[in-house]
Amino acid sequence: MALNVNPLISYADLELPLPAKRQLWEAKSAAEWKRLYHQSMTTERVPSFADLLRDMSQLFVFQDRIDTQLTALVLLHGMSAMINEYHRLRFISTGDSKHWHALVTNSRQQELDQAIQHFRMVCSELCVQSRPEIVLVCEVVSMLLHMSLEELQLFAGKEDKQEARRVYNSALEWITSPDSRRAVWHAGQTIRAAREMAPGSLTGFLAIGVYYASLAFWSYSVVSKAKNVQLLGSPAAHLFSRGPTVFLDGEEVADVSKFVTLGCGLPALQSPGGPAFLADPATVMQVVQDLLRGQMPNETIPPLVQSLAQLMGDLGHCAREGG
């Protein structure tokens, strides 16, 4: 997920039983392990990861016998591989494709969205509350369903100006669809989950997920302004100038549904200085930077986190310079 590449092992090949409950792995002695093992031992077969993909409700049924936290994360990563496949199919079915129909990809997107919603419902019924990192990864996966990470990275300058121009029209098409607003909503919820993480724990892929969320905000703002220049001859965005303030990192209230469905409202993040509107990408990037760096003292910030924060700062600076 971090590198946006195919996994080495397909999710369909994982037929081993799901990992046993955490207490077994953390047993202090052989005697304690044996006691816990006999307590959890039954004749019923523990499902595999492939079984879980077929029926996610088994996560709830077997929660007393498996490591639910690890299993939930593995399940999310499996769904992210499916989302990668969806975007690749979508790429070849757009434009003048003679063999693939967009209806198929749209149907696949709906199926994946329903699967993620089902995962959320199952997690809400677990005896142990989902940890913030599971919520964060779930929101990142949901966000990736509604945006092409590869195209947005290219648009943000991952390769060169020529590649950025190549995906420009695709980005303009994305910004006029509800997918762009669903993506930034889930990006906002990623930020919300990140704020609930324990100090010092927002590292590794979790930090990368926060960076991907910031890329969604930046792209939404920059592409919206470009679209308005194309339509109105001015970056003064109608997409940012009507309706109430919609906090993407807040509760899912009625105004959120109006924003996602109709594009009504001023999308923003919460910050100590008041709303950080997506119309001001430099300020939004600063808010996310502060979140990453504020998780730990300066002298202990890991190089990866420092690099991601610097990338956000550079994107924010470019947006400010581009005006």
Side-chain angles (χ1 to χ4, degrees), residues 29-87:
S29 65
E32 182 184 357
W33 183 93
K34 182 178 180 180
R35 177 179 58 80
L36 290 169
Y37 177 78
H38 283 296
Q39 284 179 357
S40 62
M41 194 169 59
T42 66
T43 57
E44 194 173 8
R45 173 181 169 274
V46 174
S48 68
F49 176 65
D51 294 328
L52 199 59
L53 280 174
R54 296 184 190 104
D55 181 8
M56 290 183 217
S57 63
Q58 292 186 79
L59 179 62
F60 171 77
V61 174
F62 286 88
Q63 62 178 316
D64 294 331
R65 296 182 56 195
I66 62 174
D67 185 336
T68 53
Q69 304 287 354
L70 178 58
T71 299
L73 285 171
V74 171
L75 184 55
L76 284 169
H77 282 75
M79 285 193 282
S80 79
M82 293 181 173
I83 289 171
N84 254 345
E85 292 173 352
Y86 154 74
H87 280 296

Side-chain angles (χ1 to χ4, degrees), residues 143-162:
M143 175 183 68
L144 295 179
L145 177 60
H146 298 289
M147 71 183 208
S148 171
L149 180 60
E150 179 66 19
E151 289 185 354
L152 294 190
Q153 284 181 313
L154 290 173
F155 183 73
K158 177 184 176 182
E159 299 290 344
D160 52 33
K161 290 183 179 179
Q162 185 176 352

Side-chain angles (χ1 to χ4, degrees), residues 1-272:
M1 279 181 75
L3 299 177
N4 195 34
V5 296
N6 287 330
L8 296 178
I9 300 175
S10 168
Y11 53 84
D13 294 333
L14 293 177
E15 292 286 354
L16 291 170
L18 295 171
K21 62 183 181 180
R22 186 66 59 91
Q23 291 92 327
L24 278 170
W25 298 99
E26 296 176 348
K28 302 298 183 185
S29 65
E32 182 184 357
W33 183 93
K34 182 178 180 180
R35 177 179 58 80
L36 290 169
Y37 177 78
H38 283 296
Q39 284 179 357
S40 62
M41 194 169 59
T42 66
T43 57
E44 194 173 8
R45 173 181 169 274
V46 174
S48 68
F49 176 65
D51 294 328
L52 199 59
L53 280 174
R54 296 184 190 104
D55 181 8
M56 290 183 217
S57 63
Q58 292 186 79
L59 179 62
F60 171 77
V61 174
F62 286 88
Q63 62 178 316
D64 294 331
R65 296 182 56 195
I66 62 174
D67 185 336
T68 53
Q69 304 287 354
L70 178 58
T71 299
L73 285 171
V74 171
L75 184 55
L76 284 169
H77 282 75
M79 285 193 282
S80 79
M82 293 181 173
I83 289 171
N84 254 345
E85 292 173 352
Y86 154 74
H87 280 296
R88 285 169 172 78
L89 177 60
R90 179 176 168 273
F91 176 75
I92 63 171
S93 66
T94 54
D96 299 324
S97 175
K98 295 181 179 179
H99 309 292
W100 311 100
H101 202 286
L103 284 175
V104 176
T105 55
N106 290 340
S107 175
R108 185 58 172 161
Q109 186 191 43
Q110 290 173 11
E111 282 183 333
L112 289 167
D113 189 44
Q114 289 171 2
I116 295 173
Q117 294 304 323
H118 187 68
F119 172 84
R120 293 177 194 273
M121 287 189 288
V122 170
C123 282
S124 69
E125 295 297 322
L126 296 177
C127 294
V128 180
Q129 288 294 321
S130 297
R131 294 182 296 180
E133 52 262 47
I134 294 178
V135 177
L136 191 154
V137 174
C138 184
E139 294 299 342
V140 170
V141 171
S142 301
M143 175 183 68
L144 295 179
L145 177 60
H146 298 289
M147 71 183 208
S148 171
L149 180 60
E150 179 66 19
E151 289 185 354
L152 294 190
Q153 284 181 313
L154 290 173
F155 183 73
K158 177 184 176 182
E159 299 290 344
D160 52 33
K161 290 183 179 179
Q162 185 176 352
E163 285 296 307
R165 292 191 192 100
R166 184 179 67 80
V167 299
Y168 176 69
N169 288 333
S170 178
L172 289 177
E173 183 180 339
W174 174 72
I175 204 64
T176 58
S177 72
D179 272 340
S180 63
R181 298 186 292 275
R182 290 191 181 99
V184 294
W185 163 250
H186 289 297
Q189 292 301 295
T190 299
I191 300 303
R192 182 182 181 184
R195 289 192 178 120
E196 296 177 4
M197 297 283 294
S201 61
L202 198 56
T203 59
F205 174 71
L206 300 175
I208 292 174
V210 171
Y211 166 70
Y212 286 164
S214 75
L215 185 61
F217 299 140
W218 183 88
S219 301
Y220 184 87
S221 175
V222 172
V223 180
S224 293
K225 290 179 179 180
K227 185 68 176 179
N228 288 328
V229 169
Q230 185 186 72
L231 294 176
L232 308 173
S234 168
H238 71 278
L239 288 176
F240 294 123
S241 61
R242 54 197 174 102
T245 299
V246 177
F247 286 111
L248 302 173
D249 52 349
E251 297 285 343
E252 189 170 0
V253 295
D255 285 341
V256 170
S257 298
K258 292 178 183 177
F259 167 71
V260 171
T261 307
L262 304 173
C264 296
L266 299 162
L269 296 180
Q270 301 174 74
S271 75

